[in-house]
Amino acid sequence: MAAVFSMQSGDARRHASASHRNSRFENQRPMSNQLCRNGPQCRKYQEGTCHYNHDFGSGQTNGLSVPKKVLNVESPSFTPNFTPKPANALPVKGIALSPRAAGAPAFTPRGSGTVTPAAISHSKQLSEEFVPQQFFPPQQQFSEFVPGQSFVPQQQVRHNSRNYRLDLKLAYTKLLQIDSSPQLQAPINPYGDPFMSPQSLHQAMPSLDGSQQMNPYSQAVPGAAGQQFYQDNNSYKHPLNYHLYASVGPRRENMHPYQRASADFFIPDNIRDDLHKKSEAALQVFANSTLPQTVEHFHSLVALDTASQRGATTFGYPSWIYKATSSKDGHTYALRRIEGFRLTSEQAIRSFQAWKRVNNSSLVRIHDAFTGRWFGDSSLIVVTDYHPLAQTLAEKYFPTVRSGKSSAPFVAENDLWAYLVQLANALRSVHEAGFAAQTVTATKVLLTAKNRIRLNGCGVLDITQYEQRQPATDLQRLDLQDLGRLMLSLAARNSTAHQNTQKSLEFISRAYSERFRLCLTWLLTPPTPTPETLATTPTTTNHAPTMSDYTIANLLTNIADKALSVLDSTLHYEDELTNNLMRELEN
């Protein structure tokens, strides 16, 4: 019973407290008649969960939505539960109003519109310290930032400081003057940057101080045909032939060992310029070329021949040279085209494949050979390495002027020995492989760098003259004779000096050493092959020259000291290039 009684008493207390709470909130106004305390920026109202009144322009003050109560002036105290009487109610008997209170005008809040006065007003006179409540201003709509548009705001922001408004007004006036001024010509970019074109300069944003600032968010609108990769192709030059640290005089010659000039940290200008030119030549293409688009798996053909005459050359057919890019590995190669050649035997192409294994630093390496009709006729294509800006010895030392006479320059003896050693090195690899070059002429020897030559065109005659081929030993002796004729032409500065060998040897003896003349004499006058000389085996050094002595190995033995001199100069040049490479290590 005690437990039951205590439970009933607890329920009674809970019901009593609940009725007390309900009686406390029952006299409050509805939430829809109360102004929200959060103001117009109420987040719950925007989400639709706020039940308070948000009509802030109706003139209600302090959230009171009921008509103003009429207060009795003579009332001794204010009673909150006082209910206002209607407008036509009669005054209470026994209570008289003062004339001042009766004649007071009706109160009209400022900015709230016109209010119809009551028939009998019982309001107090307005106090001079009364300040009407200011209404919340309407919410200002801010424009969302979009990249690519102007950074200058469209609407002027109101500020409290009068001086700041004046400064801003002056800045906007200056901005309008900049916009209304005629467009000036875009400045020329001294560095030739393709991305700093006049179109991009036109999109520059004018700042308040009048300077041009780039808009990083501006995007160029592509045209109907599509936007080009480079915005200004005319002003873009590739590659640059200078850098920002060019050595410009005057220079100090009495610098201390610890002092350095800016040019000391970069490769020499002549090497850099030569490398830039070779890179530009290797990447050169012609868009409107009449050459075939593709030859086998090669594309982007560029003609390399400087002479346009068409005639039979060393190979017995018209020959042309093209630069092309392989679609297999992306490397650049040289294509030699033998025009009008018809292949009669597949064995000729198969025998040519052995040339791929001949690898020498003084020989233009051969990669492939095939036939086709890409040029409108049956042509033989020989694929070799491409050396940009290479020229033949005929173009270098036997240039033809308009008068028809050649003015060949003088060649130093050390350079001639270097040429002789390099060509002998190339012939050694060819002869050891069992072949013959048959192209040791001024038109088939390439000058790829300073005193750096390579033998070109090897193996073509093995295909074109496969049916009339001769023994390899006879062709190898002809290579030595061709080497002597080439050296004699360079020394005598005449491409036809070999036609009168004795007179030409007497001429070069005036400018060159006796050893050089004897070497050329040995190359130009091979021993006559007789049965006695062929059967004789030399046992001493004092014997007559035989056919077995007339080889490229014997030539290299006789000029071994000159070959070592060339090797020594090559090693010095390698050290110089390594030193120049160390300068560019951090670039």
Side-chain angles (χ1 to χ4, degrees):
M1 293 296 293
V4 174
F5 178 77
S6 62
M7 182 182 299
Q8 292 178 354
S9 125
D11 293 341
R13 287 196 298 269
R14 281 195 295 271
H15 287 298
S17 61
S19 61
H20 178 69
R21 286 196 304 269
N22 295 335
S23 63
R24 186 172 58 184
F25 291 102
E26 64 182 0
N27 295 329
Q28 292 186 359
R29 296 184 307 275
M31 298 173 61
S32 60
N33 295 336
Q34 300 182 27
L35 289 178
C36 182
R37 297 182 181 181
N38 297 330
Q41 305 293 339
C42 181
R43 184 179 300 176
K44 292 184 178 181
Y45 175 71
Q46 296 177 2
E47 298 175 354
T49 58
C50 184
H51 302 287
Y52 289 94
N53 186 13
H54 294 79
D55 188 8
F56 296 96
S58 61
Q60 301 174 5
T61 59
N62 297 331
L64 298 178
S65 59
V66 297
K68 289 192 175 295
K69 299 181 180 181
V70 180
L71 301 179
N72 191 355
V73 180
E74 300 297 335
S75 176
S77 61
F78 173 73
T79 304
N81 293 331
F82 175 76
T83 304
K85 296 181 179 181
N88 55 0
L90 297 177
V92 181
K93 295 182 180 182
I95 301 176
L97 297 176
S98 63
R100 181 179 179 183
F107 170 71
T108 303
R110 183 180 302 175
S112 61
T114 304
V115 179
T116 303
I120 300 177
S121 177
H122 299 281
S123 60
K124 293 184 178 181
Q125 185 179 2
L126 294 177
S127 174
E128 297 179 356
E129 298 179 355
F130 174 75
V131 178
Q133 181 180 2
Q134 298 180 0
F135 301 102
F136 291 96
Q139 182 179 1
Q140 184 178 2
Q141 300 296 332
F142 295 95
S143 60
E144 185 179 359
F145 171 74
V146 179
Q149 298 181 355
S150 176
F151 291 95
V152 182
Q154 301 295 334
Q155 299 179 357
Q156 183 177 0
V157 183
R158 296 182 180 180
H159 298 276
N160 296 328
S161 176
R162 183 172 179 272
N163 296 332
Y164 187 83
R165 290 198 302 268
L166 292 177
D167 296 340
L168 187 61
K169 184 176 180 180
L170 293 176
Y172 270 89
T173 304
K174 190 173 182 180
L175 177 61
L176 294 177
Q177 293 177 358
I178 296 176
D179 294 339
S180 61
S181 60
Q183 296 293 336
L184 300 179
Q185 184 178 3
I188 300 177
N189 189 1
Y191 302 105
D193 191 355
F195 305 100
M196 197 65 178
S197 61
Q199 290 83 356
S200 60
L201 290 175
H202 181 69
Q203 298 176 356
M205 182 192 69
S207 59
L208 298 181
D209 58 353
S211 61
Q212 296 289 337
Q213 298 180 1
M214 294 302 300
N215 183 359
Y217 299 100
S218 62
Q219 300 178 1
V221 181
Q227 185 180 3
Q228 298 180 357
F229 182 77
Y230 293 110
Q231 301 179 10
D232 190 4
N233 296 330
N234 297 327
S235 63
Y236 183 65
K237 303 300 181 183
H238 174 82
L240 297 177
N241 57 354
Y242 60 89
H243 53 64
L244 298 181
Y245 297 93
S247 56
V248 180
R251 305 175 184 84
R252 293 181 55 186
E253 301 296 340
N254 55 347
M255 297 179 63
H256 297 283
Y258 60 87
Q259 294 178 337
R260 291 290 181 270
S262 59
D264 297 337
F265 299 95
F266 300 92
I267 61 177
D269 296 342
N270 56 344
I271 298 180
R272 186 191 67 254
D273 187 57
D274 182 65
L275 294 178
H276 280 169
K277 290 180 179 179
K278 289 183 178 181
S279 177
E280 184 179 7
L283 300 176
Q284 183 183 19
V285 293
F286 295 104
N288 300 325
S289 177
T290 58
L291 298 175
Q293 295 294 330
T294 58
V295 174
E296 195 71 12
H297 55 85
F298 298 94
H299 61 87
S300 304
L301 272 69
V302 177
L304 301 179
D305 295 281
T306 56
S308 59
Q309 65 269 16
R310 178 179 178 181
T313 58
T314 308
F315 310 112
Y317 296 88
S319 177
W320 311 93
I321 297 293
Y322 304 96
K323 175 183 71 73
T325 304
S326 174
S327 58
K328 291 184 177 180
D329 54 10
H331 296 168
T332 305
Y333 296 91
L335 305 183
R336 178 177 293 276
R337 172 197 173 196
I338 308 300
E339 182 180 351
F341 173 76
R342 290 183 176 271
L343 185 64
T344 58
S345 176
E346 293 292 339
Q347 187 63 28
I349 294 293
R350 295 192 186 98
S351 62
F352 182 81
Q353 303 300 322
W355 278 96
K356 298 181 181 180
R357 298 189 294 268
V358 181
N359 186 12
N360 189 275
S361 60
S362 299
L363 185 70
V364 178
R365 190 170 185 180
I366 300 172
H367 294 277
D368 197 4
F370 49 85
T371 58
R373 305 184 63 88
W374 296 279
F375 296 91
D377 61 348
S378 180
S379 300
L380 172 65
I381 308 297
V382 179
V383 183
T384 61
D385 280 339
Y386 169 68
H387 298 277
L389 299 183
Q391 59 179 162
T392 63
L393 293 182
E395 297 173 352
K396 175 67 175 179
Y397 297 104
F398 306 120
T400 302
V401 295
R402 294 182 179 179
S403 60
K405 299 180 181 180
S406 60
S407 56
F410 176 79
V411 186
E413 184 173 353
N414 291 333
D415 296 343
L416 289 177
W417 281 115
Y419 293 163
L420 182 60
V421 168
Q422 294 179 65
L423 291 177
N425 181 33
L427 292 178
R428 178 187 59 83
S429 299
V430 173
H431 292 179
E432 288 179 356
F435 300 107
Q438 308 181 62
T439 56
V440 189
T441 59
T443 58
K444 296 298 178 289
V445 178
L446 296 181
L447 183 66
T448 58
K450 183 179 179 181
N451 297 338
R452 185 71 172 89
I453 60 175
R454 287 179 170 89
L455 185 60
N456 191 22
C458 297
V460 178
L461 290 175
D462 292 347
I463 301 177
T464 59
Q465 298 180 1
Y466 181 76
E467 302 295 339
Q468 299 84 17
R469 61 184 182 275
Q470 301 178 12
T473 55
D474 297 342
L475 296 178
Q476 292 174 0
R477 296 189 187 98
L478 291 178
D479 288 343
L480 293 179
Q481 295 182 23
D482 293 339
L483 178 60
R485 297 188 186 102
L486 177 59
M487 293 293 104
L488 181 63
S489 300
L490 295 176
R493 291 177 288 175
N494 188 358
S495 59
T496 60
H498 61 277
Q499 297 178 1
N500 194 344
T501 304
Q502 190 64 29
K503 185 177 180 179
S504 299
L505 289 174
E506 294 177 359
F507 175 77
I508 65 174
S509 62
R510 305 171 187 174
Y512 298 98
S513 63
E514 182 66 17
R515 184 180 181 184
F516 182 74
R517 187 190 68 83
L518 292 176
C519 182
L520 295 186
T521 303
W522 184 84
L523 290 173
L524 294 173
T525 57
T528 304
T530 60
E532 292 78 7
T533 57
L534 292 175
T536 303
T537 303
T539 56
T540 60
T541 57
N542 298 327
H543 64 274
T546 60
M547 293 302 297
S548 59
D549 297 334
Y550 194 70
T551 58
I552 190 64
N554 194 16
L555 174 64
L556 290 174
T557 302
N558 294 331
I559 60 173
D561 56 335
K562 299 298 181 182
L564 292 178
S565 299
V566 174
L567 176 62
D568 182 69
S569 61
T570 303
L571 295 178
H572 282 297
Y573 185 66
E574 180 187 0
D575 295 338
E576 181 182 356
L577 291 180
T578 305
N579 186 22
N580 293 328
L581 184 61
M582 292 294 292
R583 296 182 181 181
E584 300 292 336
L585 189 60
E586 294 295 336
N587 294 341

